[in-house]
Amino acid sequence: ITGVLLASLIDSPDLVERIDLANDYIDRGDVTPERRDGHRRFIDLAMIKNKDNMKSNDVVEAFTLAAGFPKNVFVQVLFGDILANAGLQVLSNEAWKRACQLSGYRSMPVGQRLIRGHLDAQALDKAFEEAANLASASPNVISVMLLCETWLALESVGIDPKDVVPQFDARET
């Protein structure tokens, strides 16, 4: 199941093979019915994300499946990816924000998705706010670069970062 998760998050070419292996594992007699059901729902989400031409009923099915895992970071990331692939950027940003909150803003790939999503949606203030959260929780090169990128984006449209995040101190940053 972990292999399916990772393969679906990075769009691995061997996702179908991993799904087949996971199905073999699930069909073994030692997997409890409730775990089997959870694993199948997760695999269904991975298969929806892997579709080339997603339809509205796929998004509805993904919403139903993801609702069964409200506190699972990986499911929320996968759900956000599905929504983004369907062109629903605002909703995908909400799913990625839930994933960031669940992870304590300690996952760079999740934080990058959220910040890029806000930048793509021209929500520069939200992008900067989330970049500040990410850099505060996980100060590293990637988070600082995202903070700088969003800071420059704000300044390019004449918004002072302190208007977005009042506690932001440019000198200490």
Side-chain angles (χ1 to χ4, degrees):
I1 298 303
T2 303
V4 171
L5 166 70
L6 295 174
S8 62
L9 290 176
I10 63 169
D11 296 322
S12 176
D14 67 345
L15 177 62
V16 174
E17 179 183 332
R18 290 178 184 268
I19 287 173
D20 290 341
L21 289 170
N23 279 324
D24 290 344
Y25 167 76
I26 292 168
D27 291 336
R28 292 185 352 200
D30 59 339
V31 179
T32 65
E34 74 179 23
R35 284 186 64 96
R36 185 176 301 126
D37 179 55
H39 291 331
R40 288 216 191 283
R41 289 187 297 159
F42 182 77
I43 288 171
D44 289 345
L45 268 173
M47 290 172 57
I48 291 170
K49 182 186 181 264
N50 198 42
K51 284 188 173 184
D52 288 330
N53 52 355
M54 200 175 308
K55 298 188 174 30
S56 60
N57 62 329
D58 293 322
V59 174
V60 171
E61 182 181 357
F63 180 80
T64 303
L65 292 166
F69 302 97
K71 296 191 183 216
N72 185 304
V73 173
F74 300 113
V75 168
Q76 294 306 312
V77 173
L78 192 56
F79 183 49
D81 290 353
I82 290 167
L83 293 168
N85 291 346
L88 302 169
Q89 193 63 54
V90 172
L91 294 175
S92 65
N93 291 346
E94 290 175 15
W96 291 329
K97 182 173 178 82
R98 274 191 305 280
C100 280
Q101 291 168 335
L102 289 167
S103 72
Y105 285 88
R106 285 182 166 67
S107 170
M108 289 303 108
V110 179
Q112 285 179 296
R113 280 173 165 87
L114 176 59
I115 293 163
R116 293 268 173 249
H118 283 313
L119 288 172
D120 290 347
Q122 295 299 308
L124 304 181
D125 55 338
K126 290 179 182 179
F128 181 77
E129 184 178 358
E130 296 300 346
N133 288 337
L134 189 66
S136 175
S138 299
N140 59 52
V141 172
I142 294 171
S143 65
V144 172
M145 288 178 66
L146 287 166
L147 182 64
C148 291
E149 181 180 352
T150 58
W151 182 353
L152 290 171
L154 281 179
E155 286 188 347
S156 73
V157 294
I159 299 174
D160 185 342
K162 280 190 157 294
D163 292 341
V164 178
V165 180
Q167 66 274 22
F168 182 72
D169 187 345
R171 285 181 294 230
E172 288 185 21
T173 305

